[in-house]
Amino acid sequence: MTDIAPPPRPAVELTADTYPADSRYANDDLRPVPLAERRWTTYNFVALWIGMAHCIPSWTLASGLVALGMDWKQAVLTIALANVIVLVPMLLTGHAGPKYGIPFPVLARASFGVRGANLPAMVRAAVACCWFGIQTWIGGQGIFVLLGKLFGGWADAGRVGGYPWTLWLCFAVFWVLELAIIYRGMDTLRRFENWAAPFVLVGALVLLLWIANKAGGFGPLLHEPSKVGWGPDFWKVFFPGLMGMIGFWSTLSLNIPDFTRFGKGQKAQVIGQTLGLPTTMTVFALMSVLVTAGSEKVYGVAIWDPVALAGRTDNVFGLLFALVTVFVATISVNIAANVVSPAYDLANLAPKVINFRTGALITGVVGVLVMPWKLTSTPELYIFTWLGVVGGLLGTVAGILIADYWIVRRTVLHLSDLYVEGGRYWYTGGWNWRAVAAFAVGGVLAVGGSYSTLDAKGDKAGPFPVDGIVPFLKPLADYGWAVGLGASLLVYTALMAAGRRRV
């Protein structure tokens, strides 16, 4: 079942005469990127992560952990550790990008089969479409709030579907601009991220300096003791929190080849991601804590939402700067994290019908149809369902990809066979049942024990049974991402090894 071949060159490409362009499983967007077009540098990858990390949801991650009882030091530590952990599968799956120039759904064909790759691709695409809608709604709300400060009566407009029509207008304009940028292709995205990253970083620093000046220093929150200490109560919060923070970027740990396929080499993607992800997220979490501490000192209440905090100023220039910063930050992360992947994933579903641009448009439409304003209206649905369950399922897929590429194939792929029927990755009817079995086992173990806790009133706070969907799996639920990745990796490796022995 493994490919026995001499190690290929550090970077591999298919020449025009060997690339099966007439295959029903190929199109120009899924083809391996030619070596001459792999030009993303270390800075491009650093900028990509700065642009993606500096957004409203990641700013408020620390607040969620503090609300669970951690102090600011514990919250920042948890976020830092989570991003160091999730960096590992990102670097492992990202390796195939600079080497072969292929996107995530094509890489998945090696393990799931040429047709079977649609299973993980559609799981990833569904998650991304929902995230796209959520981020667009959050970005639209941010612009709505800030414009409301600039134009009196903005928030008092007539209501449609329970919201002011001006909010729907912000949502629609934001949606159109996002798709307009990505419709121009990946090189436009690279250029946008290059200037968006430093701009958003400056915006965050301006917010920090502004609140520090008003507060005369940072105080109350930084001296607030932990409500869970460092004993057993801490670990009960730490592990679910850690898995949730990992789940936040678990999506990118799968489809990072969609970006690294444009890398000039392994050094660019390894150094770029290592400098970009864990450091940026940790610094951003620290900044959010410092700014919130300052807001509590100035306004008497901790304001974790940067838009709400920026809205407290009456300075027109300050409001405009905050408006542009929120605008650029949200577009930056949403396009890179939630449009690129489903665009490729949907193209993989029907390459001769759907290209990258069509896939991006479908993503935009689905992102509206899922009604993101309802997904974010209930914190329990957003937190428990999204970060926990999604992280578990995506960790399961990551385990299979890593096992296949690194353990089974030792990074050796035969590119032309990834695009044709009857090749070494066709398996049975285009599906590798061993990958599907590993996905099923890992998925059940990762999310089968998902449960809801009780709130202060004794009511169920979440969509799952208190005892877990499958009660005896409940102890595993807090470690969903790790359980899914580890279980699927072991099961897939064992099944592939068993198949080799029978041949």
Side-chain angles (χ1 to χ4, degrees), residues 44 455 491:
N44 293 139
D455 60 21
V491 171

Side-chain angles (χ1 to χ4, degrees), residues 25 32 48 67 91 93 136 156 198 201-202 205 214 226 282 285 328 338 347 392-393 418 423 447 466 484:
Y25 302 103
L48 176 73
L91 295 179
T93 55
T136 303
D156 299 325
L201 186 58
V202 169
L205 287 172
K214 291 181 71 71
S226 170
T282 302
V328 172
N338 303 318
L393 289 177
L418 291 169
V447 305
V466 174

